Amino acid sequence: RFNWNSPILLSHHNSEIIYFGGNRLFKSFDRGDSWPVVSPDLTTADPAKLAGNVPFCTITSMAESALDPNLLLVGTDDGLVQRSQDGGLSWTNLTGRFPGAPAEWWVSRVELSRHSRDVAYASFTGYREDDPRPMLFASENRGENWVSIAGNLPRESINVVREDPRNPQVLWVGTDGGVYVTFDRGSLWHPLRQGLPTVAVHDLAVHPRDRELVIATHGRGIWVLEVAPLQELSD
């Protein structure tokens, strides 16, 4: 089974390796010429959901650690977050460890830190269930325990979270209303509204060399913001 927007991911460590998500994780070792399956079904495979189309028990987000090629994180449209620490050979279901998050809400993004092997982030969206609460979580121990870092974020569904590649205290979030940034890992969030319209933001990328935030919106094109000054703010 495959999501409408099936995730694809190029390895940080080997340009021959590409990950692709269905209901299982595919891992190509030859740039896509072949696609071995390296996981069991990582979803609930709930027959009631399979009878419909949203959710459809599929992978929606994947992350590979930039520090450890064996550390993988996967999120699904039926609320599961799964972790592998051996490159996909075995998996641990982390579901139920996110305080306040409904058990079956769509996992919109999983993110592994570039600064620490132990730090991870995950966001959920209740958009399809008329639940606009911001659901954003961080872990300091590879997903064993999670805490909410939604802080003062408004009631807007979260679509993406990114850790800044230069400053681990800086996080970027894209919601159904725009972009927000924190300089203290979620204690206080600030909107980035100068020139950016009120629009759903579905993806973010922080360019590590050019130090630009690239913002992908739903219907208003691509926006770019120079973020070097924001990356260097002190307490």
Side-chain angles (χ1 to χ4, degrees):
R1 300 183 300 277
F2 297 92
N3 196 270
W4 181 268
N5 291 320
S6 297
I8 187 168
L9 179 67
L10 181 66
S11 172
H12 294 284
H13 305 277
N14 185 339
S15 61
E16 300 283 321
I17 294 177
I18 307 173
Y19 301 91
F20 187 66
N23 60 311
R24 302 182 180 189
L25 183 65
F26 296 82
K27 186 176 181 179
S28 174
F29 297 89
D30 50 19
R31 296 194 299 175
D33 287 338
S34 61
W35 288 98
V37 175
V38 294
S39 81
D41 193 332
L42 296 176
T43 76
T44 64
D46 184 342
K49 294 182 174 63
L50 297 180
N53 60 7
V54 179
F56 193 53
C57 303
T58 59
I59 294 171
T60 50
S61 182
M62 305 176 299
E64 178 202 59
S65 170
L67 304 174
D68 181 353
N70 291 315
L71 180 58
L72 305 172
L73 208 58
V74 162
T76 72
D77 64 7
D78 52 353
L80 302 192
V81 176
Q82 307 256 20
R83 180 196 64 205
S84 176
Q85 299 188 84
D86 53 16
L89 296 178
S90 61
W91 293 84
T92 300
N93 188 347
L94 306 178
T95 309
R97 308 185 191 194
F98 301 89
E104 300 180 352
W105 268 207
W106 187 293
V107 181
S108 54
R109 198 63 53 122
V110 291
E111 174 87 339
L112 289 167
S113 173
R114 292 172 176 263
H115 303 277
S116 169
R117 286 179 173 85
D118 296 326
V119 173
Y121 302 94
S123 63
F124 296 76
T125 172
Y127 170 82
R128 295 159 187 83
E129 287 79 18
D130 295 326
D131 182 357
R133 289 177 297 155
M135 290 174 277
L136 180 62
F137 301 90
S139 173
E140 302 281 350
N141 53 11
R142 298 197 183 192
E144 291 297 319
N145 304 99
W146 298 81
V147 296
S148 173
I149 56 169
N152 63 316
L153 283 169
R155 287 177 63 85
E156 298 171 2
S157 297
I158 295 176
N159 300 315
V160 54
V161 55
R162 296 292 188 199
E163 182 192 63
D164 191 87
R166 288 180 176 260
N167 187 338
Q169 297 299 311
V170 176
L171 303 175
W172 312 90
V173 158
T175 75
D176 276 351
V179 178
Y180 298 84
V181 60
T182 177
F183 305 104
D184 50 19
R185 295 192 65 233
S187 295
L188 184 65
W189 292 90
H190 309 272
L192 293 178
R193 300 193 184 279
Q194 191 98 13
L196 181 71
T198 300
V199 63
V201 172
H202 284 185
D203 211 353
L204 297 170
V206 186
H207 198 292
R209 183 196 65 214
D210 294 343
R211 305 179 73 175
E212 294 176 333
L213 178 69
V214 183
I215 304 166
T217 75
H218 186 90
R220 297 299 295 270
I222 299 290
W223 296 70
V224 177
L225 173 68
E226 181 184 346
V227 296
L230 301 180
Q231 293 173 328
E232 296 169 2
L233 285 177
S234 67
D235 290 343

